[in-house]
Amino acid sequence: MPIVLITPPVTLPSEHLFLNAMLNLGLPKVHLRKPGQSLEAHDAYIQHISPEYRNRITLHDFHELSQKFCLGGVYYRERQIPGDLITAPSPTQTVSLGFHNPEDLLVDRGDVGYCFLSPIYESISKTGYGPGAKIANREVLSQFVSKSRYPVVALGGATPSVFSELAEMGFAGAALLGSIWNVENPLAAMEEALEEDAKTSWKGKLNFSL
């Protein structure tokens, strides 16, 4: 079940209710991304997530909270990636990274569980943000993805309708943001995504245990 849900940058009304309901449906991984929000705001947000689901949460900021709440992992943006080989915070936590250049997929970064590559399609949440030349060339992109040192999750414009195409290109999963949160019923959108995910033969060894 290699779907990754990214939270909207600005917290929506009833977001916690939707998120807990999605996790109850079987959503395997959530990336908590709230740029500009404080440590205290992150702490309060996590407290609204049922304790039984917190091991599925990966933090983009304030990584120290991952230990406090026994979360599932931490994420480094491209500019934050440590220069030395990465070591996971604990045996139960996974490190993930984000890239925009497919050539970065070939570099050994240490103990990394998976990485994002973006944008694969025109972004739903960011107007005018689309793939560069190396990503737009699907043949070249597939070659980089197939040679990646880590499972690659497609980010940027992904919807359930392209899951099979992404799998054919060698991706291990898809990260969803706008296709879930920018609709009238996010829970129904997640149900559709999980149904399509169950029919998709993703590549790579990416298995989020529930």
Side-chain angles (χ1 to χ4, degrees):
M1 302 181 68
I3 286 181
V4 178
L5 176 67
I6 300 176
T7 61
V10 178
T11 302
L12 304 174
S14 303
E15 182 175 324
H16 299 103
L17 296 177
F18 279 121
L19 189 57
N20 279 293
M22 292 176 192
L23 290 161
N24 186 57
L25 284 175
L27 171 63
K29 179 64 71 175
V30 175
H31 274 235
L32 176 49
R33 176 183 174 272
K34 297 290 181 181
Q37 293 198 15
S38 67
L39 183 149
E40 291 75 18
H42 280 72
D43 189 300
Y45 188 100
I46 296 167
Q47 291 187 50
H48 282 93
I49 299 171
S50 297
E52 63 188 293
Y53 302 137
R54 289 177 186 168
N55 64 342
R56 304 187 208 172
I57 308 300
T58 289
L59 275 178
H60 280 220
D61 296 292
F62 306 111
H63 291 177
E64 59 268 31
L65 293 177
S66 67
Q67 299 292 335
K68 175 180 177 179
F69 290 104
C70 298
L71 304 183
V74 297
Y75 170 87
Y76 290 101
R77 299 174 184 85
E78 213 162 9
R79 64 180 181 274
Q80 298 172 323
I81 296 173
D84 298 328
L85 292 178
I86 294 169
T87 301
S90 78
T92 60
Q93 294 183 316
T94 301
V95 175
S96 51
L97 309 175
F99 297 118
H100 297 90
N101 184 345
E103 293 178 350
D104 286 323
L105 301 175
L106 311 182
V107 179
D108 183 9
R109 309 282 178 170
D111 189 7
V112 174
Y114 59 96
C115 56
F116 291 161
L117 182 66
S118 66
I120 305 304
Y121 302 100
E122 291 292 328
S123 174
I124 298 170
S125 57
K126 297 180 182 178
T127 303
Y129 184 57
K134 289 181 181 178
I135 291 179
N137 185 322
R138 297 315 198 201
E139 183 177 348
V140 172
L141 174 61
S142 296
Q143 292 175 359
F144 278 112
V145 172
S146 66
K147 295 176 182 177
S148 175
R149 285 183 171 269
Y150 309 103
V152 186
V153 175
L155 172 61
T159 66
S161 64
V162 300
F163 283 3
S164 59
E165 179 180 72
L166 290 171
E168 289 174 5
M169 286 190 282
F171 284 95
L176 307 178
L177 199 169
S179 63
I180 301 298
W181 298 113
N182 289 10
V183 300
E184 185 175 350
N185 190 336
L187 187 58
M190 179 54 67
E191 287 183 300
E192 178 188 351
L194 289 169
E195 289 174 3
E196 189 61 34
D197 169 67
K199 297 183 289 185
T200 304
S201 299
W202 298 105
K203 305 298 189 296
K205 297 178 181 180
L206 181 60
N207 183 25
F208 299 126
S209 57
L210 301 184

